């Protein structure tokens, strides 16, 4: 880890800076695939699946038999774990359900706000060796609670045209309405336009590689919303002498194993922690199956000594970490001062992996400093709020003249007349 | 208006379709201005202001004297109107303030969600002949309620380097913290990077022409969030024989006067309304100062007879109007079935202009079908929700094994070990 001791504020920029995202130009490829799928639908989808996933797929949609058989292909322990995690995610997200807001702003002017689900949502789950069934839970469970009518899941098939059974099991458990064997740009394009098999959706959620990210950006230009901007995963740990160096390092490594571009920052309040952290790293790293990835991420990560509490707080808010582990004695100081973070893990017994899987909070969170302006996925992400107003004769008498003056001043005469005509009729 | 009588469902696509947005290629100009402002700051801002706004500005920031003097330059009636509208907007948006959500998902696993303001927000207000001071209220009042620390407003100066006094008055009234005399791409670039005078912000709100829209899109690639995708304003009116044709047409014209690209749809439940609407249009249109604009918008707009209630409901949800005026006897049928709309105006005495100015609801709303996935601006737009979790020894005992199984199945061994180490320590 790169070591910094009580760095000067003018050097914080360097420490909080994320690596520039590869802005590789995938535009042309994305446009090509989008156009083909718009024009040729399923035929193009199947052809790209053959090219990009090297898979022959007969039917894009997972069959009832495939879905029903999935549970038998995974262990009972894993099924029980998915059920426990799902129950917790459901409890926490159901509690977030927004309620109607109703105000009579002046007598006769009733304004209210109601919540409606986004009708059709799409969930993208990447393929590869590790099946991200946990992300299925994190996206489909809130969608189901919100009342989304169609919850469509796309994930690339393996070489045999199959979907990982844990993904299929999680999808059924979490209320996904249709599962499709399609990945990459072609999946995002299909959900953007709709094909013979795959429905068009209103909003697309989920992680993905640079191709998927570029395709999601393209989708936003075609009338489809997306969850949030993508970036490599991040963790910032703040530890003092009450923190277990063993646990802290296990969390740093959890983050580091995600990818060589994972962002890991460990801020310690006391110099005595530095050698302990370094020693634990040497102990724990070599035993990991993904040690080569983790080592690379750790090499670029930062171990920072910062002794002043206010400095720590300002630094954390400046960085705006996706995941923030807070393991210090005076935690209330930090909880009160925290402005920018995705999800916060407090104390020695709250590893990041608890939030990744099973505590109940969502693991789809803003990276790359977007925690300054974005929330993680929560129930709001699957809803819209519509405002309503109903004005009585008394109400328009009371606010009508103000509308007339303002419309006149904005030189919008027809806006004014719409009120004048009503006032004159009374 | 283009007339359609009980159109077949297969023709709805044509009726709900928005005109393709001019995707004029402004990328190069936007990139140039962004780069200049990133490199040269205020100097570039002043130079572009001279070129694009033909204005010589000495100080970009509006002075305390300019702000203090604004109130004397507008009428007392307008000031009173702004205060009334502001009070209503404040009441309705304050009532939306989200509260803490707290759940113990299993014993020892506490999860909660808290709300934090976005610290720095930028508001863009276009220049031109009509000063949109109402938009200042709609964006700055919720920002202030949310607790945003910096509320920065940029608006282009006139030829004399001045800002319209109604905008300055509204800005002060609504809690804007700094006002800058800068418009167009250069305003958005300044708030994206920050200059010597103008602060960098986390999120940019507000309407604008195609240059501003393209600049806001560029900002999103540079780590700044924006309010929502832009498109021409829209109104759909649903009327039966209880609706006043005079009022209905006054509302259609309010929408039409915004611009020749305004989208106007009038759905009538009874054939007898058709000639009445047409007659009112002939009566009311010629007296408008912006009649040429309004006439052009009306020519492209649609008058649709649709006698079946369920057809009407499905058509409206398909279109997803920004503004929806509902003036029918059986309004509860529509209120219950409505899924997609920005803001709804109910009954004969609720003109769209009430929501544009003074009822209390927000007028920054999703257009172009985005009401299917986006809310209008509300208090959420100025906040983030952060999740927290604190797990006790008992808690990790209860959920730890589930996390281990799931992490193992996703082949993330370090995630599993972070839990195993904690369980072993107990």
């Amino acid at each position: 880890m790169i070591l910094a001791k009580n760095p000067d504020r003018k050097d914080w920029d360097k420490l909080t800076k994320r690596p520039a995202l590869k802005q590789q130009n995938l535009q042309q490829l994305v446009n090509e695939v989008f156009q083909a799928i718009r024009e040729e639908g399923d035929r193009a989808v199947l052809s790209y699946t053959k090219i990009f996933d090297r898979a022959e797929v007969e039917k894009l949609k997972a069959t009832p038999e495939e879905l029903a058989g999935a549970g038998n292909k995974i262990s009972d322990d894993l099924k029980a774990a998915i059920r426990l995690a799902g129950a917790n995610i459901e409890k926490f997200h159901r509690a977030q359900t927004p309620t109607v807001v109703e105000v009579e702003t002046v007598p006769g002017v009733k304004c209210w706000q109601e919540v409606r689900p986004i009708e059709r949502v799409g969930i993208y789950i990447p393929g590869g060796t590790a099946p991200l069934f946990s992300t299925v839970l994190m996206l489909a469970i809130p969608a189901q609670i919100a009342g989304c009518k169609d919850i469509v899941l796309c994930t690339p098939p393996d070489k045999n045209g199959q979907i990982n059974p844990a993904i299929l099991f999680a999808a059924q458990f979490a209320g996904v309405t249709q599962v499709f064997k399609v990945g990459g740009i072609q999946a995002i394009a299909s959900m953007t336009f709709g094909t013979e098999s795959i429905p068009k959706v209103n909003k697309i959620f989920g992680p993905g590689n640079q191709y998927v990210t570029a395709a999601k950006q393209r989708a936003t230009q075609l009338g489809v919303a997306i969850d949030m901007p993508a970036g490599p995963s991040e963790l910032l740990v703040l530890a003092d002498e009450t923190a277990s160096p063993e646990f802290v390092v296990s969390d740093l490594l959890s983050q580091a194993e995600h990818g060589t571009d994972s962002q890991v920052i460990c801020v310690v309040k006391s110099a005595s922690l530095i050698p302990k952290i370094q020693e634990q790293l040497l102990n724990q790293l070599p035993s990991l199956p993904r040690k080569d990835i983790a080592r690379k991420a750790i090499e670029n990560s930062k171990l920072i000594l910062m002794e002043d509490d206010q400095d720590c707080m300002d630094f954390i808010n400046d960085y705006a970490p996706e995941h923030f582990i807070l393991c210090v004695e005076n935690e209330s100081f930090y909880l009160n001062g925290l402005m920018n973070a995705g999800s916060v893990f407090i104390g020695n017994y709250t590893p990041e992996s608890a939030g990744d899987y099973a505590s109940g909070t969502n693991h789809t969170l803003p990276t790359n400093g977007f925690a300054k302006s974005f929330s993680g996925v929560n129930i709001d992400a699957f809803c819209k709020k519509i405002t309503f107003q109903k004005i009585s004769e008394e109400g328009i008498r009371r606010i009508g003249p103000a509308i007339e003056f303002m419309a006149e001043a904005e030189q919008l005469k027809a806006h004014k007349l719409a009120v004048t005509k009503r006032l004159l009729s009374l």
Side-chain angles (χ1 to χ4, degrees), chain A residues 29-70:
Chain A
L29 177 63
V30 168
N31 290 350
E32 258 175 54
V33 176
F34 268 63
Q35 200 185 330
I37 285 171
R38 177 182 244 165
E39 287 169 6
E40 298 172 47
D42 282 351
R43 229 187 62 184
V45 176
L46 291 169
S47 143
Y48 285 119
T49 301
K50 209 166 156 180
I51 298 168
F52 294 136
D53 298 312
R54 297 167 202 284
E56 290 275 1
V57 170
E58 266 177 52
K59 272 194 69 171
L60 286 167
K61 188 169 169 174
T63 63
E65 294 72 35
E66 286 173 307
L67 286 160

Side-chain angles (χ1 to χ4, degrees), chain A residues 94 97 115-121 140-151 379 382-383:
Chain A
R94 197 175 287 285
T97 309
V115 180
R116 294 289 189 278
I118 296 176
E119 288 188 88
R120 282 171 252 289
V121 299
I141 291 174
Q144 196 186 18
I145 294 169
C148 302
K149 215 167 61 181
D150 285 345
I151 306 172
I379 207 79
F382 299 91
C383 303

Side-chain angles (χ1 to χ4, degrees), chain A residues 34 37-38 41-42 45 118-123 148-154 177-178 180 182 186-205 218-225:
Chain A
F34 268 63
I37 285 171
R38 177 182 244 165
D42 282 351
V45 176
I118 296 176
E119 288 188 88
R120 282 171 252 289
V121 299
I123 296 174
C148 302
K149 215 167 61 181
D150 285 345
I151 306 172
V152 173
L153 188 151
C154 290
T177 53
Q178 299 185 74
F180 295 95
V182 52
Q186 60 272 27
I188 307 300
S190 298
M191 294 192 279
T192 300
F193 300 122
T195 71
E196 302 90 316
S197 305
I198 304 169
K200 175 179 167 57
V201 302
N202 307 122
K203 188 169 182 178
I204 298 174
F205 295 79
R218 178 78 185 116
T220 64
Q221 297 166 339
L222 296 160
V224 179

Side-chain angles (χ1 to χ4, degrees), chain A residues 37-310:
Chain A
I37 285 171
R38 177 182 244 165
E39 287 169 6
E40 298 172 47
D42 282 351
R43 229 187 62 184
V45 176
L46 291 169
S47 143
Y48 285 119
T49 301
K50 209 166 156 180
I51 298 168
F52 294 136
D53 298 312
R54 297 167 202 284
E56 290 275 1
V57 170
E58 266 177 52
K59 272 194 69 171
L60 286 167
K61 188 169 169 174
T63 63
E65 294 72 35
E66 286 173 307
L67 286 160
N72 297 326
K73 295 185 184 155
I74 60 174
S75 73
D76 287 343
D77 284 336
L78 183 55
K79 278 184 276 192
I82 288 175
R83 288 195 187 100
L84 174 74
N88 289 350
I89 295 165
E90 180 173 349
K91 270 182 218 162
F92 187 54
H93 287 77
R94 197 175 287 285
Q96 296 165 18
T97 309
T99 50
V100 174
V101 173
E102 196 169 356
V103 178
E104 190 162 359
T105 51
V106 298
V109 180
K110 282 192 189 141
C111 298
W112 69 101
Q113 185 194 52
E114 291 185 33
V115 180
R116 294 289 189 278
I118 296 176
E119 288 188 88
R120 282 171 252 289
V121 299
I123 296 174
Y124 184 78
I125 301 293
T129 46
L132 293 184
F133 57 85
S134 61
T135 305
V136 179
L137 304 180
M138 293 292 175
L139 297 175
I141 291 174
Q144 196 186 18
I145 294 169
C148 302
K149 215 167 61 181
D150 285 345
I151 306 172
V152 173
L153 188 151
C154 290
T155 191
D158 65 18
K159 303 272 174 291
N160 305 316
Q162 301 298 311
I163 295 174
N164 181 287
I167 289 179
L168 286 179
F169 178 80
Q172 287 173 93
F173 173 78
V176 168
T177 53
Q178 299 185 74
V179 177
F180 295 95
K181 299 174 181 177
V182 52
I185 303 172
Q186 60 272 27
I188 307 300
S190 298
M191 294 192 279
T192 300
F193 300 122
T195 71
E196 302 90 316
S197 305
I198 304 169
K200 175 179 167 57
V201 302
N202 307 122
K203 188 169 182 178
I204 298 174
F205 295 79
N209 59 19
Q210 54 182 335
Y211 297 96
V212 171
T213 300
K216 282 172 73 184
Q217 281 169 351
R218 178 78 185 116
T220 64
Q221 297 166 339
L222 296 160
V224 179
I226 63 168
D227 46 1
M228 66 182 80
S233 191
E234 307 162 349
L235 169 66
L236 186 147
V237 178
L238 178 69
D240 69 7
E241 284 179 333
T242 66
S244 151
E246 184 191 6
F247 298 170
V248 166
V249 167
S250 73
D251 294 327
L252 299 178
L253 290 173
S254 296
Q255 190 58 42
E257 77 172 339
H258 273 302
T260 55
D261 57 357
S262 275
Q263 301 295 301
V264 179
I265 296 183
C266 182
V267 180
V268 292
K269 305 238 17 234
S270 147
S272 68
L273 276 164
I274 295 175
K276 293 178 190 160
I277 299 274
Q278 289 167 329
E279 190 197 328
Q280 282 291 336
L281 272 172
L282 290 175
N283 287 348
Q284 294 187 35
L285 215 162
S287 71
L288 295 178
R290 295 165 73 95
K291 58 176 174 285
D292 293 338
I293 291 171
R295 181 171 291 120
K296 208 140 196 184
I298 288 292
E299 274 169 14
N300 294 318
S301 69
K302 288 134 196 166
L303 178 57
I304 303 170
L305 172 67
M306 213 176 256
E307 285 161 310
D308 180 76
D309 277 318
Q310 193 58 51

